Structures are given as C-alpha cells and as structure tokens.
C-alpha cells in the first residue's frame, strides 16, 4: 500500500492572498505568510518569517482534510510500503544553514521508513541556502531564525518555540546549523535536540569550529583519527552528551577537503541511525547521564 505524506500548517496574514484553490483566513497567531518566492520574486522572502511552497491544486479527496486557515500538502510515494511498527511517527524540525546534505539524507531515510518520523519544518538563519531550496522543493515549510533586524524578518526565540509547538514537533535536529540554539528551545525540548559535529568530540569542538576549520585543525594537530559525533544539545556549542561516534583515519597527505569527504560519508550513515533510534525510543540513559542506543527492540545490545 502506498504511503501518503501530509504536512499541515496554520498561518496568519494581515491580508490573506488568494492562491488558486487556497483561501486563507487568519487564525490567532503571530506568524506571517508568503507564497513560493519563485512566484513572487526574490524580495518576497525579505519581509517574512515563514514561507511555504505553492502546492498543486487540491484534489476533491484532499479538500476533505482542509479547514479555514490550513494549508495541506499531500504526496504519495508508490515505492514505499506502510509498516506497522507499533510506534507513532515522530515529527521532526531540522535546523540548517548551508547545503543540507545531512538534511537530505535524513529526509530520504524518513521517506524510506528507515526513520519512523517526518520532517515537518525546516528552520534556517539563511532562508536562501540550498537546504531551504530543497525543503521548498519537497513542500516542507521553512521558518527563519534568528530575527534579522536589517531585513526586518525572522522569529524571536519565543516565537520560534511557539512555531515548533504549532507544528507539534517532537524532535529538533541540527544539520549544519551554525547559530547557537536559544535557551528557550533547549528548555522546551529536553533530551530531544540532536546535533552532528564533523570531529570526535570533545576535541575540535566549540564556538568557531565548523566546516573546513574543523578539518584544518584536525590535520594540523597531527591526530591520526577523526570522524563524526552525534550528541544531544545543551546551551553551549558542541557540549551536550555524546550519543554515537564513527572513526575514520586521517591519512598522511590529507587536505581538509579529503578528510571532510571521508567524514561526511560517515555522517550520512550515523545520523539517520541515531535519529531512527530516538524516534523508536531506543535511547537509554545510564545512571551517570551517558545515553546508550539499543540496536533494536529485538536485540538487547547497546552501543
């Protein structure tokens, strides 16, 4: 049986536009709405905090899902079978700043049911980045954080938490997001925010260690090994409890680009595995506060 992926979003506008089959009414919320920037031009994004791709006209069956002020995106993947795992699918918000290769890997894993969850919202400090383009192309709403005073757009920390709650987000995932997550979000999602770092924490982490800078530092140090680290997020950069790591060799004549490619390949494997474990409640905490992953509910083995 084919699986239908549906994302629902409520939005408010001062003067609701008419978009073909859609007629929007403003529910009680402070979020601002704009349509697909490709249809309104590049300046549209500058005045909004939240944007949505314009979907195809709704079929009659789709309209039964609609109510006033609600946008529905419906798509069917004929190649994906429904699986009754006994778990309720989790709703994921993915924070991005750049190309979004980890976001794409996670989204594909969700569509293939390797992750029992759905990407319902993307949050970015750079709403014109490639990751946001990918989100828009897949009808995933994009919210801008933090607020950009020069552009007069974006959400405050309180509005960001409200937006995450509005989308009923269960788990927040950082995928190349370069800003510090605000304390309001950390406190609202305890043990439910994940990040991936391209080095073996606690080494080569913290403020300023991102992207190429990390791999340059690893090579310069003479370290013989590197690799990605997945950890829970607290109020400091790259500081929360480590969930999983993968090791790759640092070769004698590696460039930062060589090492980055080797680490990124492992990132695309380990991150979906950890997110899948969180979605299936396979994370257990030792008495000393260290999180462990149970490989599956059929295996009493932890790593």
């Amino acid at each position: 049986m084919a699986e239908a992926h549906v994302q629902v979003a409520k939005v408010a506008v001062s003067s609701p536009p008419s978009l073909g089959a859609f007629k929007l009414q403003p529910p009680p919320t402070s979020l601002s709405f704009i349509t697909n920037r490709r249809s309104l031009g590049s300046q549209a994004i500058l005045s909004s905090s939240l944007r949505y791709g314009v979907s195809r006209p709704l079929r009659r069956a789709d309209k039964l899902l609609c109510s006033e002020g609600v946008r529905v995106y419906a798509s069917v993947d004929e190649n994906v079978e429904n699986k009754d795992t006994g778990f309720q699918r989790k709703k994921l918000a993915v924070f991005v700043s750049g190309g979004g290769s980890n976001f794409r890997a996670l989204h594909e894993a969700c569509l293939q049911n390797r992750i029992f969850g759905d990407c319902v919202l993307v949050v970015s400090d750079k709403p014109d980045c490639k990751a946001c383009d990918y989100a828009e192309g897949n009808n995933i709403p994009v919210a801008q954080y933090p607020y950009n005073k020069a552009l007069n757009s974006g959400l405050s920390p309180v509005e960001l938490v409200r937006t995450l709650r509005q989308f009923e987000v269960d788990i927040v995932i950082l995928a190349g997001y370069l800003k510090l997550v605000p304390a309001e979000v950390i406190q609202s999602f305890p043990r439910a925010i994940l990040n991936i770092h391209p080095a073996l924490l606690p080494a080569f982490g913290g403020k300023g260690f991102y992207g190429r800078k990390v791999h340059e530092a690893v090579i310069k140090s003479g370290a013989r090994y590197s690799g990605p680290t997945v950890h829970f997020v607290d109020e400091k950069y790259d500081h929360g409890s480590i969930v999983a790591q993968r090791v790759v060799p640092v070769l004698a004549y590696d460039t930062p680009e060589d090492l980055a490619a080797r680490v990124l390949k492992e990132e695309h494997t380990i991150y979906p595995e950890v997110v899948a474990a969180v979605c299936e409640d396979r994370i257990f905490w030792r008495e000393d506060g260290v999180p462990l992953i149970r490989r599956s509910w059929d295996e009493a083995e932890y790593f």
Side-chain angles (χ1 to χ4, degrees):
M1 181 182 295
E3 178 180 12
H5 305 290
V6 179
Q7 296 90 40
V8 179
K10 293 186 178 181
V11 293
V13 293
S14 55
S15 299
S18 177
L19 298 175
F22 300 106
K23 184 178 180 181
L24 304 179
Q25 299 296 329
T29 175
S30 63
L31 295 178
S32 59
F33 169 88
I34 70 165
T35 60
N36 189 319
R37 61 182 173 150
R38 294 193 180 98
S39 64
L40 293 185
S42 60
Q43 294 301 315
I45 191 63
L46 301 182
S47 61
S48 80
S49 301
L50 190 67
R51 65 184 168 97
Y52 298 78
V54 176
S55 65
R56 55 159 175 75
L58 295 180
R59 301 189 303 267
R60 183 174 181 179
D62 295 331
K63 291 181 181 180
L64 297 177
L65 299 172
C66 293
S67 60
E68 291 295 336
V70 175
R71 289 292 300 275
V72 176
Y73 303 121
S75 63
V76 176
D77 188 340
E78 300 292 346
N79 298 317
V80 178
E81 294 184 354
N82 285 325
K83 296 181 180 180
D84 184 3
T85 65
F87 294 98
Q88 183 176 355
R89 293 184 74 89
K90 302 294 187 181
K91 295 183 179 181
L92 316 177
V94 186
F95 285 42
V96 299
S97 290
S101 67
N102 273 308
F103 166 41
R104 292 195 297 272
L106 292 168
H107 182 243
E108 289 169 4
C110 290
L111 295 180
Q112 296 166 7
N113 271 338
R114 291 186 287 116
I115 293 176
F116 205 63
D118 299 295
C119 299
V120 299
L121 178 68
V122 165
V123 176
S124 181
D125 60 318
K126 299 178 180 179
D128 287 326
C129 69
K130 291 182 179 179
C132 290
D133 289 340
Y134 176 84
E136 185 178 273
N138 286 274
N139 290 328
I140 302 172
V142 175
Q144 182 181 341
Y145 176 84
Y147 175 78
N148 188 313
K149 186 175 181 180
L151 300 178
N152 191 29
S153 63
L155 303 174
S156 69
V158 172
E159 289 170 334
L160 176 58
V161 172
R162 186 182 304 143
T163 301
L164 295 171
R165 295 300 190 201
Q166 178 184 350
F167 282 87
E168 300 178 339
V169 168
D170 299 300
I171 304 167
V172 173
I173 301 170
L174 311 187
Y177 184 69
L178 301 181
K179 298 291 185 180
L180 191 66
V181 177
E184 291 86 347
V185 174
I186 302 293
Q187 294 162 7
S188 298
F189 292 86
R191 291 183 173 180
I193 307 176
L194 292 170
N195 181 47
I196 191 164
H197 183 73
L200 296 174
L201 295 175
F204 309 108
K207 187 174 182 179
F209 278 92
Y210 61 89
R212 193 178 195 275
K213 295 179 181 180
V214 174
H215 306 297
E216 287 177 339
V218 170
I219 293 171
K220 186 176 180 179
S221 74
R224 297 313 197 253
Y225 296 96
S226 189
T229 299
V230 181
H231 65 96
F232 284 100
V233 174
D234 60 18
E235 296 181 16
K236 299 180 182 179
Y237 283 107
D238 305 324
H239 184 263
S241 301
I242 293 173
V243 189
Q245 293 180 314
R246 288 282 171 83
V247 175
V248 303
V250 180
L251 304 181
Y253 298 103
D254 267 346
T255 65
E257 289 73 22
D258 294 333
L259 182 55
R262 197 175 302 120
V263 172
L264 187 62
K265 183 178 180 180
E266 295 299 324
E267 289 182 36
H268 292 168
T269 300
I270 193 173
Y271 214 6
E273 289 179 357
V274 173
V275 174
V278 174
C279 288
E280 295 172 16
D281 296 324
R282 290 189 282 110
I283 302 295
F284 295 84
W285 295 80
R286 284 192 335 209
E287 292 183 358
D288 59 0
V290 173
L292 301 175
I293 299 176
R294 182 167 176 163
R295 290 193 182 277
S296 74
W297 282 110
D298 297 325
E299 302 176 74
E301 182 180 352
Y302 298 84
F303 68 97

